[in-house]
Amino acid sequence: MELKTAMKCSSCNDNMLSEDNFTKFKCPSCLKADVVRCSRCRLKSIVYICPECGFKGP
Ligand SMILES: [Zn+2]
Ligand SMILES: [Zn+2]
Protein backbone atom coordinates (compact mmCIF):
# COMPACT_ATOMS: atom_id res chain seq x y z
CA MET A 1 0.00 0.00 0.00
CA GLU A 2 1.41 3.35 -1.00
CA LEU A 3 0.36 6.45 0.80
CA LYS A 4 0.50 9.87 -0.75
CA THR A 5 4.03 11.01 0.01
CA ALA A 6 3.90 10.95 3.75
CA MET A 7 6.66 13.35 4.58
CA LYS A 8 8.48 13.26 7.82
CA CYS A 9 10.62 15.85 9.46
CA SER A 10 14.23 14.79 9.00
CA SER A 11 15.08 16.07 12.46
CA CYS A 12 12.30 15.02 14.81
CA ASN A 13 10.73 12.38 12.55
CA ASP A 14 7.28 13.82 13.02
CA ASN A 15 4.79 13.48 10.25
CA MET A 16 4.32 16.65 8.30
CA LEU A 17 0.91 18.05 7.62
CA SER A 18 0.44 20.09 4.50
CA GLU A 19 -0.61 23.05 6.58
CA ASP A 20 2.49 22.87 8.69
CA ASN A 21 5.01 25.56 8.03
CA PHE A 22 7.78 23.24 6.95
CA THR A 23 10.73 23.69 4.65
CA LYS A 24 11.87 21.23 2.05
CA PHE A 25 15.15 21.28 0.22
CA LYS A 26 17.58 18.97 -1.51
CA CYS A 27 20.38 17.61 0.56
CA PRO A 28 23.41 19.85 -0.14
CA SER A 29 25.69 16.85 -0.02
CA CYS A 30 24.17 14.25 -2.33
CA LEU A 31 21.53 16.46 -4.02
CA LYS A 32 19.29 13.43 -4.23
CA ALA A 33 17.22 13.22 -1.12
CA ASP A 34 14.72 15.78 0.01
CA VAL A 35 15.30 17.01 3.52
CA VAL A 36 12.19 18.13 5.32
CA ARG A 37 12.15 20.19 8.44
CA CYS A 38 9.22 21.38 10.47
CA SER A 39 9.02 24.91 11.78
CA ARG A 40 9.79 23.78 15.29
CA CYS A 41 13.08 22.16 14.33
CA ARG A 42 13.98 25.13 12.17
CA LEU A 43 13.42 27.54 15.03
CA LYS A 44 15.47 25.40 17.37
CA SER A 45 18.16 24.85 14.71
CA ILE A 46 18.06 21.13 15.28
CA VAL A 47 20.36 19.26 12.94
CA TYR A 48 18.90 17.22 10.13
CA ILE A 49 20.24 13.95 8.81
CA CYS A 50 19.93 13.14 5.13
CA PRO A 51 18.12 9.82 4.67
CA GLU A 52 20.21 9.12 1.58
CA CYS A 53 23.82 9.85 2.53
CA GLY A 54 23.64 10.52 6.24
CA PHE A 55 24.86 14.09 5.88
CA LYS A 56 24.22 16.16 8.97
CA GLY A 57 23.54 19.84 8.74
CA PRO A 58 22.20 22.70 10.79
ZN1 LIG B 1 10.85 18.53 13.26
ZN1 LIG C 1 22.34 13.50 1.20
Side-chain angles (χ1 to χ4, degrees), residues 27 30 50 53:
C27 166
C30 65
C50 170
C53 68

Side-chain angles (χ1 to χ4, degrees), residues 37-48:
R37 280 174 106 203
C38 67
S39 50
R40 281 163 296 158
C41 289
R42 198 156 39 109
L43 280 170
K44 290 189 198 165
S45 302
I46 294 173
V47 294
Y48 60 83

